[in-house]
Amino acid sequence: MDITLFPTKSNLIKAKNSLRLSKQGYMLLDKKRNVLIREMMELIEKAKRIQSEIDKTFSEAYRALQAANIMFGINTVGRISYAIPVEDGIKIRFRSVMGVELPLVDDETDESLQYGYGFFRTGIALDEAYKKFESVKQLSLKLAEIENSVYRLAANVKKTQKRANALKNIMIPKYEELTHMIQNALEEKEREEFSRLKVIKEMSAP
């Protein structure tokens, strides 16, 4: 609304409505920001736990792989690795949090393809390495899902904060000032009208 509008009751109503909507908009944006921040902080804590688990599982997986290399030979283990199928079961869905689309990563790999190699000339050490690296894969997928979600949430928190600040620091003060200005002008106009009517009444009195 143009602050140079004439001080009329109609414009006063418009200014009050704009002020009310600006305050409502700020409250909604503030609520959205708080929800997004809470969701983001929960995911950050979850990411820390998963990263710690990945580090531990990676160490266990490499120890198991070293044991398999010693037991069966690096060349044999290398040849067996070619039997592992290419990963093609990763699917991505989305969930919405206050209008922010967050990814959900699913591994739809057929479990019947597990191991993917025969048991001839292999043993428990190689099986253990395979299972550990499979666990690392699943944890990495979850971590990627969470980190991407945190990035999206952080970007939206920043955008929401910017809009909330614009309402709080620019739009709301603007409409408060405009409302106050129009009210004062109308009150002054009413006082002038009252004084004029009083003078006319006194002049017309016998």
Side-chain angles (χ1 to χ4, degrees):
M1 180 182 294
D2 187 356
I3 61 173
T4 62
L5 287 173
F6 291 109
T8 64
K9 289 184 178 180
S10 175
N11 287 337
L12 177 60
I13 292 173
K14 290 179 181 178
K16 286 183 175 181
N17 286 338
S18 296
L19 177 59
R20 177 176 53 82
L21 290 174
S22 295
K23 289 181 176 180
Q24 287 179 348
Y26 173 75
M27 291 176 62
L28 290 173
L29 287 174
D30 190 55
K31 179 181 177 181
K32 176 181 180 179
R33 180 193 58 191
N34 291 334
V35 170
L36 295 180
I37 289 176
R38 184 168 62 250
E39 180 77 16
M40 186 172 65
M41 297 309 294
E42 290 176 358
L43 289 176
I44 289 174
E45 288 302 314
K46 189 180 293 185
K48 290 179 180 178
R49 293 194 298 269
I50 292 177
Q51 184 62 65
S52 177
E53 194 173 349
I54 285 177
D55 294 341
K56 177 184 175 183
T57 308
F58 246 130
S59 297
E60 294 173 349
Y62 276 113
R63 283 198 297 270
L65 182 60
Q66 286 176 341
N69 286 336
I70 293 171
M71 187 174 295
F72 307 110
I74 294 178
N75 291 334
T76 300
V77 172
R79 287 195 298 271
I80 292 173
S81 69
Y82 288 111
I84 306 301
V86 175
E87 178 61 73
D88 61 356
I90 307 301
K91 306 296 180 184
I92 299 177
R93 298 179 292 112
F94 291 91
R95 67 185 178 98
S96 179
V97 176
M98 297 297 287
V100 183
E101 295 294 306
L102 304 181
L104 292 171
V105 180
D106 297 321
D107 183 5
E108 299 179 355
T109 304
D110 188 349
E111 291 185 1
S112 64
L113 296 178
Q114 190 172 5
Y115 294 109
Y117 56 83
F119 297 105
F120 179 67
R121 296 181 65 185
T122 62
I124 190 171
L126 189 60
D127 295 343
E128 184 67 17
Y130 182 93
K131 286 190 292 185
K132 290 295 182 181
F133 278 109
E134 177 66 20
S135 296
V136 170
K137 183 191 78 171
Q138 296 298 331
L139 289 169
S140 297
L141 290 176
K142 194 64 181 175
L143 184 61
E145 172 190 302
I146 292 174
E147 287 182 341
N148 189 278
S149 295
V150 169
Y151 174 81
R152 291 177 179 225
L153 287 168
N156 211 274
V157 166
K158 184 177 180 180
K159 185 187 300 182
T160 302
Q161 182 67 58
K162 186 176 181 181
R163 291 175 178 173
N165 286 342
L167 286 174
K168 181 181 179 181
N169 300 322
I170 299 175
M171 302 307 294
I172 291 177
K174 170 185 173 181
Y175 288 123
E176 285 178 339
E177 180 183 356
L178 180 58
T179 300
H180 184 68
M181 182 185 72
I182 294 177
Q183 280 181 326
N184 287 343
L186 289 176
E187 289 173 0
E188 181 65 26
K189 186 176 180 181
E190 287 178 359
R191 284 193 292 269
E192 291 177 357
E193 186 66 22
F194 177 78
S195 298
R196 187 162 48 250
L197 289 174
K198 185 177 181 181
V199 170
I200 293 174
K201 183 178 180 180
E202 290 175 349
M203 291 177 62
S204 60

